[in-house]
Amino acid sequence: MDVDYANKLILAPMVRAGTLPFRLLSLRHGADLVYGEEIIDKKIQRAERRVNSKLGLVEFVHNGKVVYSTCEEEAVKNIF
């Protein structure tokens, strides 16, 4: 996917602050693109992808803990 960064309002990647609720708020308040939170690569590689249909999320779970989640609302605007 080619991303056009020109003249965009972009939420930068942040450790422990770029969670799904913050990304959605940023999009709803004018951000054009949002970066997913910084995460250790091994953690995401070993995570199990789970669809949470009750909440409408896709979650990546490692050792029983959700390490990353996303949803349809941010699908084409989330850079991970």
Side-chain angles (χ1 to χ4, degrees), residues 27-45:
L27 289 169
R28 292 173 187 169
H29 287 277
D32 297 303
L33 298 169
V34 293
Y35 274 84
E37 60 197 288
E38 292 182 18
I39 189 166
I40 298 169
D41 59 347
K42 289 181 183 177
K43 201 178 272 189
I44 199 73
Q45 287 176 334

Side-chain angles (χ1 to χ4, degrees), residues 24-68:
L24 291 177
L25 280 172
S26 298
L27 289 169
R28 292 173 187 169
H29 287 277
D32 297 303
L33 298 169
V34 293
Y35 274 84
E37 60 197 288
E38 292 182 18
I39 189 166
I40 298 169
D41 59 347
K42 289 181 183 177
K43 201 178 272 189
I44 199 73
Q45 287 176 334
R46 295 177 181 153
E48 176 187 348
R49 183 184 185 274
R50 295 183 187 169
V51 175
N52 184 332
S53 55
K54 188 173 186 177
L55 296 177
L57 303 175
V58 174
E59 301 171 323
F60 294 86
V61 181
H62 181 261
N63 290 337
K65 181 180 176 187
V66 176
V67 293
Y68 191 78

Side-chain angles (χ1 to χ4, degrees), residues 60-80:
F60 294 86
V61 181
H62 181 261
N63 290 337
K65 181 180 176 187
V66 176
V67 293
Y68 191 78
S69 60
T70 188
C71 67
E72 186 66 32
E73 184 177 344
E74 69 167 2
V76 296
K77 297 182 176 197
N78 181 13
I79 301 168
F80 181 73

